[in-house]
Coordinates of all heavy atoms in Angstrom, one line a residue:
T1027 N -25.4 16.9 -116.7 CA -26.7 16.3 -116.6 C -26.9 15.4 -117.9 O -27.4 14.2 -117.7 CB -27.8 17.3 -116.6 OG1 -27.7 18.1 -115.4 CG2 -29.2 16.7 -116.6
T1028 N -26.4 15.9 -119.0 CA -26.5 15.1 -120.2 C -25.7 13.8 -120.1 O -26.1 12.7 -120.6 CB -26.1 15.9 -121.4 OG1 -26.8 17.1 -121.5 CG2 -26.2 15.1 -122.7
L1029 N -24.5 13.9 -119.5 CA -23.6 12.8 -119.4 C -24.2 11.7 -118.4 O -24.2 10.5 -118.7 CB -22.3 13.2 -118.8 CG -21.3 13.9 -119.8 CD1 -20.1 14.4 -119.1 CD2 -20.9 12.9 -120.9
V1030 N -24.9 12.2 -117.3 CA -25.5 11.3 -116.4 C -26.6 10.5 -117.1 O -26.7 9.3 -117.0 CB -26.1 12.1 -115.2 CG1 -26.9 11.1 -114.3 CG2 -24.9 12.6 -114.3
L1031 N -27.5 11.2 -117.8 CA -28.6 10.6 -118.5 C -28.1 9.7 -119.6 O -28.6 8.6 -119.8 CB -29.6 11.7 -119.0 CG -30.3 12.5 -118.0 CD1 -31.1 13.6 -118.7 CD2 -31.2 11.7 -117.2
G1032 N -27.1 10.2 -120.3 CA -26.5 9.3 -121.4 C -25.9 8.1 -120.8 O -26.0 7.0 -121.5
C1033 N -25.2 8.1 -119.7 CA -24.6 7.0 -119.1 C -25.7 5.9 -118.7 O -25.5 4.7 -119.0 CB -23.8 7.4 -117.8 SG -23.1 6.0 -117.0
I1034 N -26.8 6.4 -118.1 CA -27.9 5.5 -117.8 C -28.5 4.8 -119.0 O -28.7 3.6 -119.1 CB -28.9 6.2 -116.9 CG1 -28.3 6.7 -115.6 CG2 -30.1 5.3 -116.7 CD1 -29.2 7.6 -114.8
F1035 N -28.8 5.7 -120.0 CA -29.5 5.2 -121.2 C -28.6 4.2 -122.0 O -29.1 3.2 -122.5 CB -29.9 6.3 -122.1 CG -31.0 7.2 -121.5 CD1 -31.1 8.5 -121.9 CD2 -31.8 6.7 -120.5 CE1 -32.1 9.3 -121.3 CE2 -32.8 7.5 -120.0 CZ -33.0 8.8 -120.4
T1036 N -27.3 4.5 -122.1 CA -26.4 3.7 -122.9 C -26.1 2.4 -122.2 O -26.0 1.4 -122.9 CB -25.1 4.5 -123.1 OG1 -25.4 5.8 -123.7 CG2 -24.2 3.7 -124.1
M1037 N -25.9 2.4 -120.9 CA -25.6 1.1 -120.2 C -26.7 0.1 -120.3 O -26.4 -1.1 -120.3 CB -25.3 1.4 -118.7 CG -23.9 2.1 -118.5 SD -22.5 1.0 -118.6 CE -22.7 0.0 -117.2
K1038 N -27.9 0.6 -120.4 CA -29.0 -0.3 -120.5 C -29.5 -0.7 -121.9 O -30.6 -1.3 -122.1 CB -30.2 0.2 -119.6 CG -30.9 1.4 -120.2 CD -32.0 1.9 -119.2 CE -32.8 3.0 -119.8 NZ -33.6 2.6 -121.0
V1039 N -28.8 -0.2 -122.9 CA -29.2 -0.6 -124.3 C -29.2 -2.1 -124.5 O -28.2 -2.8 -124.2 CB -28.2 0.1 -125.3 CG1 -28.4 -0.4 -126.7 CG2 -28.4 1.6 -125.3
F1040 N -30.3 -2.6 -125.0 CA -30.4 -4.0 -125.3 C -30.9 -4.2 -126.7 O -30.3 -5.0 -127.5 CB -31.3 -4.7 -124.3 CG -31.8 -6.0 -124.7 CD1 -31.0 -7.1 -124.6 CD2 -33.1 -6.2 -125.3 CE1 -31.4 -8.4 -125.0 CE2 -33.5 -7.5 -125.7 CZ -32.6 -8.6 -125.5
D1041 N -32.1 -3.7 -127.0 CA -32.8 -4.0 -128.2 C -32.0 -3.7 -129.5 O -32.0 -4.5 -130.4 CB -34.1 -3.2 -128.3 CG -34.0 -1.8 -127.8 OD1 -32.9 -1.3 -127.6 OD2 -35.1 -1.2 -127.6
L1042 N -31.3 -2.6 -129.6 CA -30.5 -2.3 -130.8 C -29.4 -3.3 -131.0 O -29.3 -3.8 -132.1 CB -29.8 -0.9 -130.6 CG -29.0 -0.4 -131.7 CD1 -29.8 -0.1 -133.0 CD2 -28.2 0.8 -131.3

Side-chain angles (χ1 to χ4, degrees):
T1027 299
T1028 305
L1029 285 174
V1030 170
L1031 294 175
C1033 179
I1034 296 171
F1035 294 155
T1036 306
M1037 288 285 288
K1038 69 183 185 67
V1039 169
F1040 165 78
D1041 39 12
L1042 179 69

